[in-house]
Amino acid sequence: ANPVWAESGGTHVKLAGGSISSAISQLDLDHFSSTYTHYYLVGSNFSGTSEQQFRARMRTGGSNVSTGNYIWATSHPLQTSSGSSHNSHGGWNNGHFGINGTNNIRIDSDEGCAFEMNIYQPYQGNRTWCNWHSSGYETGTQFNVHIGSGFYNANDSFNGISIFFNGGNIDRGNYALYGVKY
């Protein structure tokens, strides 16, 4: 019988990954194409050179898209030494997605934040939808969890995403980006 060539049975393909060990202004991952239906980005031990907010922007043509078309919201349970609470954050027509809401991330060597993010069909020329989950220490002694979602409110296509802090640099972190097929 003649052989039949077919794709492997896997649904996730690792496109990029690594460790950040010296300061960079942002992590740019330009790997989006119509090959995959969505993308999964995961990171751990992220911290900045100063206590700042953790953010994301879509990319096209090797540049960040910072126009005011980002709409997002996060649910934010938190815990301090004196008890727990809950609030929410969001942005309407912002220039970014707020991965850790509007909370700063601590810079201590054993703290920082971890996150995971799904980006759905960013190449399709329609609104790009995302959802994420992050956790980390805020300035002071507050442990944060952010469960968020958002979309880019224009019919554009993107070939990547950038992760950054709103001031200062990314000092360290581990990450992996996967392409996912349905």
Side-chain angles (χ1 to χ4, degrees):
N2 293 327
V4 176
W5 303 105
E7 288 189 22
S8 66
T11 60
H12 290 67
V13 175
K14 186 175 181 181
L15 303 174
S19 295
I20 299 165
S21 58
S22 61
I24 60 173
S25 62
Q26 59 192 31
L27 174 61
D28 298 330
L29 299 166
D30 294 324
H31 300 282
F32 298 169
S33 73
S34 61
T35 302
Y36 303 99
T37 49
H38 81 274
Y39 295 84
Y40 174 70
L41 175 61
V42 61
S44 63
N45 299 317
F46 268 73
S47 72
T49 54
S50 61
E51 294 183 357
Q52 300 292 328
Q53 298 169 14
F54 198 45
R55 297 180 172 173
R57 284 189 178 124
M58 304 309 295
R59 290 176 53 81
T60 188
S63 297
N64 287 354
V65 178
S66 58
T67 57
N69 289 322
Y70 295 87
I71 297 174
W72 58 275
T74 64
S75 177
H76 173 210
L78 60 102
Q79 182 69 46
T80 67
S81 60
S82 59
S84 61
S85 185
H86 183 276
N87 59 41
S88 58
H89 301 272
W92 192 268
N93 294 333
N94 275 171
H96 63 272
F97 291 126
I99 304 304
N100 211 54
T102 57
N103 296 86
N104 290 336
I105 299 295
R106 284 175 61 164
I107 59 173
D108 295 343
S109 62
D110 61 345
E111 296 170 355
C113 74
F115 69 95
E116 59 184 2
M117 183 176 198
N118 287 286
I119 305 106
Y120 300 97
Q121 299 176 320
Y123 54 83
Q124 67 183 353
N126 294 319
R127 286 185 173 92
T128 295
W129 292 86
C130 303
N131 59 40
W132 58 86
H133 172 260
S134 70
S135 57
Y137 275 99
E138 183 185 348
T139 304
T141 57
Q142 178 174 307
F143 172 68
N144 293 307
V145 175
H146 288 269
I147 304 153
S149 184
F151 63 97
Y152 187 83
N153 194 20
N155 295 333
D156 290 338
S157 293
F158 303 106
N159 61 3
I161 191 164
S162 180
I163 304 296
F164 62 99
F165 286 98
N166 67 320
N169 291 320
I170 299 172
D171 192 37
R172 69 182 187 338
N174 305 302
Y175 66 93
L177 176 69
Y178 298 87
V180 181
K181 294 181 180 183
Y182 293 140

